[in-house]
Amino acid sequence: LAAPPPKSKKTLTKSGVKNIVVVEGVRIPFLQSGTSYADLMPHDLARAALQGLLNRTSVPREVVDYIVYGTVIQEVKTSNVAREAALGAGFSDKTPAHTVTMACISSNQAMTTGVGMIAAGQCDVVVAGGVELMSDVPIRHSRKMRKTMLTLNRAKTLGQKLSLLSKIRPDYFAPELPAVAEFSTSETMGHSADRLAAAFAVSRLEQDEYALRSHTLAKKAQDGGLLLDVVPFKVPGKDTVTKDNGIRPSSMEQMGKLKPAFVKPYGTVTAANSSFLTDGASAVLLMSEEKALAMGYKPKAYLRDFVYVSQDPKDQLLLGPTYATPKVLEKAGLTMADIDVFEFHEAFAGQILANLKAMDSDWFAQNYMGRKSKVGAPPLEKFNTWGGSLSLGHPFAATGCRLVMTTAHSLKKEGGQYGLVAACAAGGLPKCVLGP
Amino acid sequence: LKLCQAVVGLLGRFLVDLVLFFFSRSQILKGWRAAALIGLENPFRPTVNTLSKQLSSEFTDIMNEIWANEAVKSAVLISSKPGSFIAGADLDMIEACKTSQEVAQLSQEGQKMLEKIEQSPKPVVAAISGSCLGGGLELAIACHYRIATKEKKTVLATPEVLLGLLPGAGGTQRLPKMVGLPAAFDIMLTGRNIRADRAKKMGLVDQLVDPLGPGVKSPEARTIEYLEEVAIDFARGLANRTVSAKRSKGLMQKLTDYAMAVPFVRQQVYKTVENKVRKQTKGLYPAPLKIIETVKAGLDQGHDAGYLAESQNFGQLAVTKESKALLGLYRGQVYCKKNKFGTPQQEVKTLAVLGAGLMGAGIAQVSVDKGLKTILKDTAQQGLDRGQQQVFKGLNSKVKKKSLTSFERDSILSNLTGQLDYKGFEKADMVIEAVFEDINIKHKVLKEVEAVIPAHCVFASNTSALPISQIAAVSKRPEKVIGMHYFSPVDRMQLLEIITTDKTSQDTAASAVAVGLKQGKIVIVVKDGPGFYTTRCLGPMLAEVVRVLQEGTDPKKIDAISTAFGFPVGAATLIDEVGVDVATHVAEDLGKAFGERFGGGSIELFKLMVEKGFLGRKAGKGFYIYQEGVKNRSVNSGMDEILARFKLPAKPEVCTDEDIQMRLVTRFVNEAAMCLQEGILSSPVEGDIGAVFGLGFPPCLGGPFRYVDSYGAKQLVDKLRKYEAVYGSQFTPCQLLLDYANNPSKKFHQ
């Protein structure tokens, strides 16, 4: 075995800037929606993740200065889900908490919010996390019906009430479902992914192969006990859930039989090569390095640099990692070769492969990114080697913390130094975090 | 995946309703595999006669080759030209034919060629991106399967009817079978553009392909490539029978088809459609009726009779004067979509509009809509609010029609700034004023604006009659002052009349034309003078309307005879629409400038109307009573007294319906000719376009100049002389008309 090439930089420590560390991170098992978590509420999942974090780290509750949580599809009863979960998990009622949203990178946003607070000297200890419960989503009455109901509240006489009620028509009862679609373009994410795959000429075969790889690697990681961030969750009225239930390595043949899910009848994105609807929650404990060391913790990772980028929500919705990767590398003064572990969010196999092709294209770099040349695609042997969102599942807002923890654990196992996390998100807002 | 499909370069081009291909032999490549690709291009324009023969035989050759080659199982027809499947109509070809038989012959050749495709034992798939019009659509529907890109530029239509023709290569026969009788009539009789998604719903195309964003190639290039890949997949599927070309029809269509199979029901449909067409066209346009007749022949008498009727009727229509007039308008329109002043030195990116009234807001709407940063300024908040609401409403109606998304609407509106002051005018590249038509107010705003705008900024005045040189008199930089006369409602009227003064610079003109074209207008450029061109032509005609009214013809009757002549709006209604006060104002101004030639009716009649508040539609009362929600408006009985007061004896020798029509039209035409004679107009083409698109001159006549050509200058002068003898000098023919009358070979349009 050849010795790894020397790194461009020995350390990313910057003078005058606090080092911010991940002490620990956990997640409850990610489950396909409609399974064991189906009867819970989002804050129940978040609560379980928070309690898991407390148990694992034994951090005294009063030390935590602040809690930030990410969520995408909001349960209206717990709009500040961070606060509800924190109270339920036994955190001090003196610890403030807020909730952020940024589509699939909501917990990345929660973490970088924490990083900002620590860097600014506002806090020393922040818990960040994300939660998503796709088993239950808010389905609303139609706008017309809502309007009638609200007016009804204000109606004083019986006559007024009756006249309002008499205006209700059958179509008033048609419910409004939340769509996984861009508001600006009305295009669903799957449809966009199919077009993206076509734009980069990613074939159905390539996508199925990639999806199979993800499931196979995830299975291996699960069986090998590598998914250290998973904490068991005793679901009320049900058995304790201990592992992710979406990992299903199949055969190319089986996958080949599926019909396209979005662009019918000739598209390439299918249920098998997309991430599935998932319930789950995650949480990480962030501290300033000095605080962590003072408390006797050995940091699992250092969060160094991050960038958020955004681009055209129609045609480049899912290309965030392509734009963010070279930017964050340059910011940190590293090259692709310096990175030992890449963890990219796998929304769709087609989306990952399109990003890899885009990163490997000079034409794309020159015409769309304003760069002289391509940054190059990450080598697959360092890329999502323990599976990804396709196989482990993708509870939208909980994925970011999983990516960071997988990177941290993977770096430790492989003896690597630098890791890179990237994800795409609706609205064309992806981000990148550099690990230790 | 290896690209082993044979690429057969078929350099095709398209002639109205006939698909004729020029096929370059040298481009047949290598081996064939499952699908053959036929590329359509239009690299050059060879002469017509040789082309026709050559093309049909060569097209047959290539189809023969496809059939003969065992390895080829199917074919894909795709254009290698982005933005157009087949759109270009070669009108020369039709015009070059001397007789209807010759044209019918062309139609038959086209029919045969498309029939060959239809009957091909190997499936042929049309892959459509961009405009698929006329014969392009006929070719597409002769194929076995159609796949279209879901892009804004992809439109399907049979615009032949707009040129006074019918789809002459099997379209009248195939369309009813494909989309059902009612939809087929709708497509062919309106000639309207059908977007790809709508076409899919109608059953006109079988599959849609979404346009792609950037990949490792440009979005356009990759989208075409993707379309090709998908089309090849389907062509293969059709060949090995994993894909069926048979479309599953919805319940409604099944019911419709079932009903249409009953001869009695069909006869009722023909009758209804025919009545509707007769009512709308007043019998002035032969093409729609011929389309109905042709469809009928095919459905009632069978295949051969249908195709024969199609080619015969196509031939007959092509030589009608209506078709020639419409063709002339089409060409004129193309001519008026070019900027003959070249590219302006500085592109207009920020436009300011003064006055948020009906016109100002309309101008703002068509500007912001096309990506111009637009400032809308008014002097009062209330007026500004109304104007901004008008723009919103205009864009929102597009959202309702689904040609715009609500997101696009919002993002367009973010470029519109409504304000009461001159903030930001220092960045304006052009200012268009649409303030009240009063020379003092125009002078005031011109001076105010010149104090705040940058040196390169153009000042344009939207006025319908005030001479631009008069407005420019107070300008420090008259070379930057120009007239831009928009027509109401701005978002729907296609014409823009640009007025240059002696001092207006070429670059200013170039800039104004560029903005007009960007706004999607058909632009004519005329010289300055009272009433410019359009208002000036309308003046004498309206004066004559007043005369006719005074002679005891009631407004309803005047409307009826003017619409019977082909005007889209009756003459009395037109005055109500324009506004009686505006008409009075303009008539007075022009009367002062031109004297007797603008005489005829008594302007006092208008003045009395204004006094009584009968200002037209905007006041709810004019010649008619206008009420919200009431469709059949009634004649304003308050007018009886006014008309009685100004009553003049009618002269029976010039008061038949036809005479009244001719009195109106000859005065219009005479004034138009005068404009050309005086150099206000630079060409008859612009005169025709201005009259038809700005004033509603009957399109079937092709405009005043084309009308002189077809009616005969001599005959027209004779008419004028006849009326001159009765009424006096307002009917005196101008010198230019006399010249043309004296020389029968002289025509405005060769």
Short mmCIF file of all heavy atoms in Angstrom, two decimals, chain A residues 375-402:
data_model
loop_
_atom_site.label_atom_id
_atom_site.label_comp_id
_atom_site.label_asym_id
_atom_site.label_seq_id
_atom_site.Cartn_x
_atom_site.Cartn_y
_atom_site.Cartn_z
N VAL A 375 -13.54 20.89 -11.22
CA VAL A 375 -12.93 20.56 -9.94
C VAL A 375 -12.61 19.07 -9.90
O VAL A 375 -11.73 18.61 -9.18
CB VAL A 375 -13.83 20.98 -8.77
CG1 VAL A 375 -15.16 20.25 -8.82
CG2 VAL A 375 -13.16 20.72 -7.43
N GLY A 376 -13.32 18.31 -10.72
CA GLY A 376 -13.11 16.86 -10.74
C GLY A 376 -14.09 16.16 -9.83
O GLY A 376 -14.54 16.72 -8.83
N ALA A 377 -14.44 14.94 -10.20
CA ALA A 377 -15.39 14.18 -9.38
C ALA A 377 -14.65 13.47 -8.26
O ALA A 377 -13.50 13.07 -8.43
CB ALA A 377 -16.12 13.17 -10.25
N PRO A 378 -15.28 13.32 -7.11
CA PRO A 378 -14.63 12.59 -6.02
C PRO A 378 -14.46 11.11 -6.40
O PRO A 378 -15.31 10.58 -7.11
CB PRO A 378 -15.62 12.71 -4.85
CG PRO A 378 -16.71 13.59 -5.30
CD PRO A 378 -16.62 13.77 -6.76
N PRO A 379 -13.37 10.49 -5.98
CA PRO A 379 -13.20 9.07 -6.28
C PRO A 379 -14.23 8.25 -5.53
O PRO A 379 -14.47 8.51 -4.34
CB PRO A 379 -11.78 8.77 -5.78
CG PRO A 379 -11.47 9.85 -4.81
CD PRO A 379 -12.26 11.04 -5.20
N LEU A 380 -14.84 7.28 -6.20
CA LEU A 380 -15.93 6.52 -5.59
C LEU A 380 -15.51 5.73 -4.36
O LEU A 380 -16.31 5.48 -3.47
CB LEU A 380 -16.56 5.59 -6.62
CG LEU A 380 -17.68 6.22 -7.48
CD1 LEU A 380 -18.32 5.18 -8.37
CD2 LEU A 380 -18.73 6.92 -6.62
N GLU A 381 -14.22 5.36 -4.29
CA GLU A 381 -13.82 4.57 -3.12
C GLU A 381 -13.81 5.39 -1.82
O GLU A 381 -13.73 4.82 -0.74
CB GLU A 381 -12.46 3.88 -3.37
CG GLU A 381 -11.26 4.77 -3.57
CD GLU A 381 -11.08 5.21 -5.02
OE1 GLU A 381 -12.04 5.05 -5.81
OE2 GLU A 381 -9.99 5.70 -5.37
N LYS A 382 -13.89 6.70 -1.98
CA LYS A 382 -13.97 7.53 -0.78
C LYS A 382 -15.36 8.14 -0.62
O LYS A 382 -15.58 9.03 0.20
CB LYS A 382 -12.96 8.68 -0.88
CG LYS A 382 -11.52 8.26 -0.88
CD LYS A 382 -10.65 9.51 -0.97
CE LYS A 382 -9.18 9.17 -1.05
NZ LYS A 382 -8.38 10.39 -1.29
N PHE A 383 -16.28 7.69 -1.45
CA PHE A 383 -17.54 8.41 -1.59
C PHE A 383 -18.71 7.60 -1.04
O PHE A 383 -19.00 6.51 -1.51
CB PHE A 383 -17.74 8.68 -3.09
CG PHE A 383 -18.90 9.59 -3.40
CD1 PHE A 383 -18.74 10.97 -3.39
CD2 PHE A 383 -20.14 9.06 -3.73
CE1 PHE A 383 -19.80 11.80 -3.71
CE2 PHE A 383 -21.19 9.89 -4.04
CZ PHE A 383 -21.03 11.26 -4.03
N ASN A 384 -19.38 8.13 -0.04
CA ASN A 384 -20.56 7.48 0.55
C ASN A 384 -20.35 5.98 0.72
O ASN A 384 -21.16 5.17 0.28
CB ASN A 384 -21.80 7.72 -0.32
CG ASN A 384 -22.24 9.17 -0.33
OD1 ASN A 384 -21.56 10.03 0.22
ND2 ASN A 384 -23.38 9.43 -0.93
N THR A 385 -19.27 5.65 1.39
CA THR A 385 -18.90 4.23 1.44
C THR A 385 -19.72 3.42 2.44
O THR A 385 -19.61 2.20 2.49
CB THR A 385 -17.40 4.07 1.79
OG1 THR A 385 -17.15 4.88 2.95
CG2 THR A 385 -16.53 4.51 0.65
N TRP A 386 -20.51 4.10 3.26
CA TRP A 386 -21.38 3.37 4.18
C TRP A 386 -22.85 3.51 3.79
O TRP A 386 -23.74 3.50 4.61
CB TRP A 386 -21.18 3.88 5.62
CG TRP A 386 -19.81 3.58 6.17
CD1 TRP A 386 -18.82 2.90 5.54
CD2 TRP A 386 -19.28 3.97 7.44
NE1 TRP A 386 -17.69 2.83 6.32
CE2 TRP A 386 -17.95 3.48 7.51
CE3 TRP A 386 -19.78 4.69 8.53
CZ2 TRP A 386 -17.13 3.68 8.61
CZ3 TRP A 386 -18.96 4.88 9.63
CH2 TRP A 386 -17.65 4.38 9.67
N GLY A 387 -23.08 3.71 2.49
CA GLY A 387 -24.45 3.93 2.02
C GLY A 387 -24.80 5.40 2.10
O GLY A 387 -23.96 6.23 2.44
N GLY A 388 -26.04 5.69 1.80
CA GLY A 388 -26.45 7.09 1.81
C GLY A 388 -27.95 7.20 1.92
O GLY A 388 -28.63 6.24 2.29
N SER A 389 -28.44 8.37 1.59
CA SER A 389 -29.87 8.63 1.76
C SER A 389 -30.74 7.66 0.97
O SER A 389 -31.86 7.37 1.35
CB SER A 389 -30.21 10.05 1.33
OG SER A 389 -29.48 10.98 2.10
N LEU A 390 -30.21 7.15 -0.15
CA LEU A 390 -30.98 6.21 -0.97
C LEU A 390 -31.33 4.95 -0.19
O LEU A 390 -32.39 4.38 -0.35
CB LEU A 390 -30.18 5.81 -2.21
CG LEU A 390 -30.05 6.83 -3.32
CD1 LEU A 390 -29.09 6.31 -4.38
CD2 LEU A 390 -31.40 7.13 -3.94
N SER A 391 -30.40 4.52 0.65
CA SER A 391 -30.58 3.25 1.34
C SER A 391 -30.91 3.44 2.83
O SER A 391 -31.75 2.75 3.37
CB SER A 391 -29.30 2.42 1.20
OG SER A 391 -28.15 3.23 1.41
N LEU A 392 -30.23 4.41 3.47
CA LEU A 392 -30.46 4.62 4.89
C LEU A 392 -31.77 5.36 5.14
O LEU A 392 -32.36 5.26 6.20
CB LEU A 392 -29.30 5.43 5.51
CG LEU A 392 -27.93 4.77 5.40
CD1 LEU A 392 -26.84 5.76 5.79
CD2 LEU A 392 -27.87 3.53 6.30
N GLY A 393 -32.19 6.10 4.13
CA GLY A 393 -33.40 6.88 4.27
C GLY A 393 -33.09 8.35 4.36
O GLY A 393 -31.95 8.75 4.62
N HIS A 394 -34.13 9.15 4.14
CA HIS A 394 -33.92 10.59 4.09
C HIS A 394 -35.07 11.33 4.75
O HIS A 394 -35.98 11.81 4.10
CB HIS A 394 -33.75 11.02 2.61
CG HIS A 394 -33.68 12.50 2.42
ND1 HIS A 394 -32.99 13.33 3.28
CD2 HIS A 394 -34.20 13.30 1.47
CE1 HIS A 394 -33.11 14.58 2.84
NE2 HIS A 394 -33.84 14.58 1.76
N PRO A 395 -35.05 11.37 6.11
CA PRO A 395 -36.02 12.24 6.78
C PRO A 395 -35.49 13.66 6.59
O PRO A 395 -34.52 14.06 7.26
CB PRO A 395 -35.94 11.82 8.24
CG PRO A 395 -34.80 10.84 8.34
CD PRO A 395 -34.10 10.73 7.05
N PHE A 396 -36.09 14.39 5.65
CA PHE A 396 -35.51 15.64 5.12
C PHE A 396 -34.57 16.38 6.07
O PHE A 396 -33.38 16.50 5.80
CB PHE A 396 -36.62 16.61 4.69
CG PHE A 396 -37.53 16.04 3.66
CD1 PHE A 396 -38.87 16.39 3.65
CD2 PHE A 396 -37.08 15.15 2.70
CE1 PHE A 396 -39.74 15.87 2.71
CE2 PHE A 396 -37.94 14.63 1.75
CZ PHE A 396 -39.27 14.98 1.75
N ALA A 397 -35.14 16.89 7.18
CA ALA A 397 -34.34 17.78 8.00
C ALA A 397 -33.34 17.04 8.89
O ALA A 397 -32.48 17.66 9.50
CB ALA A 397 -35.25 18.64 8.87
N ALA A 398 -33.44 15.71 8.98
CA ALA A 398 -32.54 14.99 9.89
C ALA A 398 -31.27 14.52 9.20
O ALA A 398 -30.34 14.04 9.84
CB ALA A 398 -33.28 13.80 10.50
N THR A 399 -31.24 14.64 7.87
CA THR A 399 -30.13 14.06 7.11
C THR A 399 -28.79 14.75 7.36
O THR A 399 -27.75 14.10 7.41
CB THR A 399 -30.49 14.05 5.61
OG1 THR A 399 -31.55 13.12 5.43
CG2 THR A 399 -29.31 13.64 4.75
N GLY A 400 -28.81 16.07 7.50
CA GLY A 400 -27.56 16.81 7.63
C GLY A 400 -26.68 16.30 8.75
O GLY A 400 -25.47 16.09 8.58
N CYS A 401 -27.25 16.07 9.93
CA CYS A 401 -26.47 15.59 11.07
C CYS A 401 -25.93 14.19 10.80
O CYS A 401 -24.81 13.86 11.21
CB CYS A 401 -27.31 15.57 12.34
SG CYS A 401 -27.82 17.21 12.88
N ARG A 402 -26.75 13.37 10.11
CA ARG A 402 -26.28 12.03 9.79
C ARG A 402 -25.03 12.11 8.91
O ARG A 402 -24.05 11.37 9.12
CB ARG A 402 -27.36 11.22 9.06
CG ARG A 402 -26.85 9.85 8.64
CD ARG A 402 -27.79 9.09 7.75
NE ARG A 402 -27.96 9.64 6.42
CZ ARG A 402 -27.06 9.57 5.44
NH1 ARG A 402 -25.89 9.01 5.65
NH2 ARG A 402 -27.31 10.10 4.27
#
